[in-house]
Amino acid sequence: MGVQENGNKKKYERMGSDAAEEEIVLTNNLQHKKAKEEGVIVDNISDNTRKYVFACAIFASLNSVLLGYDVGVMSGAIIFIQEDLKISEIQEEVLVGILSIVSLLGSLAGGKTSDAIGRKWTMALAAIVFQSGAAIMSLAPSFQILMIGRLLSGIGIGFGVMIAPVYIAEISPSIARGSLTSFPEIFVNLGILLGYISNYAFSGLPVHINWRIMLGVGIFPSVFIGFALFVIPESPRWLAMQNRIEEARSVLSKTNDNEKEVDDRLAEIQLAAGIANAEKYKAKAVWQEILNPTPTVRRMLITGCGIQCFQQITGIDATVYYSPTIFKDAGIKGNTELLAATVAVGFTKTMFILIAIFLIDKLGRKPLLYVSTIGMTFSLFCLSFTLTFFGDGQFGIGLAILFVCANVAFFSVGIGPICWVLSSEIFPLRLRAQASGLGAVGSRVSSGLICMSFLSMSRAITVGGTFFVFFMISALSVAFVHTCVPETKGKSLEQIEMLFQNEGEWQEGEVEMADAERLVQQKL
């Protein structure tokens, strides 16, 4: 649906939709606008329902612990892997960065897989593949076998990071979707902290054993995912796409106490699912539509994929993976002291992601993105300045730790979780899984390229110079947020699609629903 200028007339139409769907979505938007004008935010969720949805979001986010743990633990394990297996600096960069690159295979396959076998069982597949990779890595006798395990782990992570936000967005009520969809990023941060703690805890063991235990511990979180499958339901939107309407209604009833709202939401989902299923029989397939997008879909892709790429090209994964290298450049010498400093980074990153949960549905996505990107830009500049002019002294060490912690704190309070929230809620149902997977691919490829080039860049232009490059990229992310990201707080997934129909709506944040309704009535 969109508003297109044609002289003084406006034509209002929904992408691939019919008048019945327009009426339902318009009615919901008019109610949303009226409630907003009256200053009322309706929350009809009972405590039991809230707890149920909360539990589903937690269980769906467990795969994200695996990604976080791998990122955190590898930052310390690589020190001992290098010593034990005698790998070169190039091999070190490849080992660290290849996980992000290969995870694009899982993310690309995840969209099609989740449409074929469901969101729930795609999460199970992700855990199984990651478990296999982690087991191989912990037993690897050589760099080549270690790489095989790393590749499997990357594919499993690719599945996991793509499907968790999609599942949570589809099962959550609109009023809590932002907070709940940020859970995967929270669990990523928890995994990073656990990885740092594991590094510190096992660093005193013999070199040929400690890194194997560090990597092997990553198997345990995926065991809990098996138990989660007996608790969480399938996505109601996926069930509707499979014409399992009564099952979809049952799931919606568990996540919403108002029967009328359940009926309304089911009607919206059925219409959207009908359009999505119809697309399967048209010459223009989903991927063809993504590769040859309409102006509306193009704006969605720019926003969804762009925010994913900016999340990574500002250097957050490189900061986490190579934090021992950063602190060594600042003047810290011993391995134990280096790993202790990384624990402080992991703790900061985890604490500030919790702040984001409480603010994301109150302040909105865009204000937090401004705070996050501006704060990161300032922190990266100060870190670059510190590493360049204040190295090898206690003052420089203190400032380096402070600005690394500030950088990850601003990341965690905004672009870290919100990028996944946006990429899972802005796409229409027929494109959501594949487009979200494409966004995850952009994130993983960006992360891999940054991580695989960090040591080489640092050697060429110094660590401080590398962070100056990240500072300039972060400054561009502020402009991107201002130009390309709309506010989606409090809107249903179907309402969000409307924001992208007219470019002017990105700044206004809302369609003039009364005008829209009148025009649709004229059309009918």
Side-chain angles (χ1 to χ4, degrees), residues 8 62 144 153 196 270 355 365 370 424 454 483 516:
N8 293 324
L62 288 176
Q144 290 74 19
S153 295
Y196 283 156
Q270 281 184 268
I355 295 174
R365 283 55 157 161
Y370 278 133
S424 64
F454 180 83
T483 307

Side-chain angles (χ1 to χ4, degrees), residues 139-346:
L139 300 173
S142 65
F143 175 76
Q144 290 74 19
I145 302 300
L146 188 64
M147 282 295 297
I148 293 173
R150 191 77 169 150
L151 294 175
L152 281 174
S153 295
I155 293 172
I157 284 173
F159 276 114
V161 298
M162 173 265 155
I163 195 57
V166 171
Y167 173 85
I168 296 171
E170 292 184 346
I171 202 171
S172 302
S174 297
I175 195 168
R177 189 180 61 247
S179 298
L180 295 175
T181 312
S182 65
F183 274 26
E185 183 66 20
I186 293 167
F187 279 75
V188 167
N189 283 271
L190 177 61
I192 290 172
L193 178 59
L194 292 175
Y196 283 156
I197 292 173
S198 177
N199 288 337
Y200 185 75
F202 298 116
S203 61
L205 296 176
V207 171
H208 66 286
I209 294 176
N210 57 8
W211 66 267
R212 299 180 187 277
I213 296 177
M214 293 173 188
L215 298 178
V217 170
I219 295 173
F220 292 103
S222 60
V223 173
F224 294 100
I225 297 173
F227 296 104
L229 296 176
F230 295 100
V231 177
I232 64 175
E234 184 53 85
S235 159
R237 287 175 172 79
W238 184 82
L239 291 171
M241 288 180 69
Q242 307 303 310
N243 293 319
R244 293 158 61 176
I245 305 303
E246 288 307 313
E247 293 179 62
R249 181 187 297 276
S250 176
V251 174
L252 286 170
S253 297
K254 292 177 181 178
T255 59
N256 198 316
D257 295 308
N258 188 312
E259 284 302 317
K260 184 179 183 305
E261 290 186 20
V262 169
D263 292 337
D264 289 344
R265 297 299 297 148
L266 186 59
E268 285 185 3
I269 290 170
Q270 281 184 268
L271 285 167
I275 295 168
N277 285 332
E279 290 293 325
K280 297 177 183 178
Y281 304 101
K282 293 182 179 180
K284 191 176 184 181
V286 169
W287 275 110
Q288 197 172 358
E289 183 174 0
I290 290 175
L291 296 176
N292 186 27
T294 63
T296 299
V297 173
R298 185 180 299 114
R299 284 193 284 270
M300 292 175 175
L301 290 171
I302 289 172
T303 298
C305 297
I307 199 72
Q308 290 274 13
C309 290
F310 271 112
Q311 186 204 45
Q312 291 299 329
I313 60 178
T314 49
I316 189 64
D317 275 2
T319 301
V320 173
Y321 272 126
Y322 295 110
S323 51
T325 300
I326 297 168
F327 295 137
K328 184 180 292 185
D329 190 71
I332 300 178
K333 303 301 181 185
N335 286 340
T336 301
E337 290 78 11
L338 288 173
L339 297 179
T342 63
V343 172
V345 175

Side-chain angles (χ1 to χ4, degrees), residues 98-112:
I98 197 64
L99 182 135
S100 295
I101 297 292
V102 79
S103 66
L104 71 87
L105 299 177
S107 293
L108 284 173
K112 191 173 183 62

Side-chain angles (χ1 to χ4, degrees), residues 175-180 182-183 186 351-369 371-372 409-410 412-414 417-418 421 487 489-490:
I175 195 168
R177 189 180 61 247
S179 298
L180 295 175
S182 65
F183 274 26
I186 293 167
M351 290 302 100
F352 276 84
I353 194 70
L354 297 178
I355 295 174
I357 280 197
F358 296 106
L359 297 179
I360 193 170
D361 280 319
K362 293 181 179 179
L363 296 182
R365 283 55 157 161
K366 200 158 184 173
L368 283 180
L369 281 174
V371 171
S372 177
F410 281 116
S412 293
V413 84
I418 291 174
V421 174
E487 181 56 74
K489 181 186 75 170

Side-chain angles (χ1 to χ4, degrees), residues 42-117:
V42 181
D43 183 359
N44 295 323
I45 307 173
S46 70
D47 287 341
N48 288 337
T49 300
R50 194 185 304 277
K51 289 176 182 177
Y52 179 76
V53 176
F54 187 82
C56 289
I58 287 179
F59 286 131
S61 303
L62 288 176
N63 268 317
S64 300
V65 176
L66 305 179
L67 170 59
Y69 184 83
D70 184 273
V71 171
V73 80
M74 188 56 72
S75 68
I78 193 68
I79 298 173
F80 305 106
I81 292 172
Q82 188 178 35
E83 186 178 347
D84 186 29
L85 299 183
K86 312 300 182 187
I87 63 175
S88 66
E89 186 177 276
I90 298 295
Q91 288 176 316
E92 180 183 348
E93 285 184 318
V94 171
L95 183 63
V96 169
I98 197 64
L99 182 135
S100 295
I101 297 292
V102 79
S103 66
L104 71 87
L105 299 177
S107 293
L108 284 173
K112 191 173 183 62
T113 302
S114 66
D115 282 345
I117 66 175

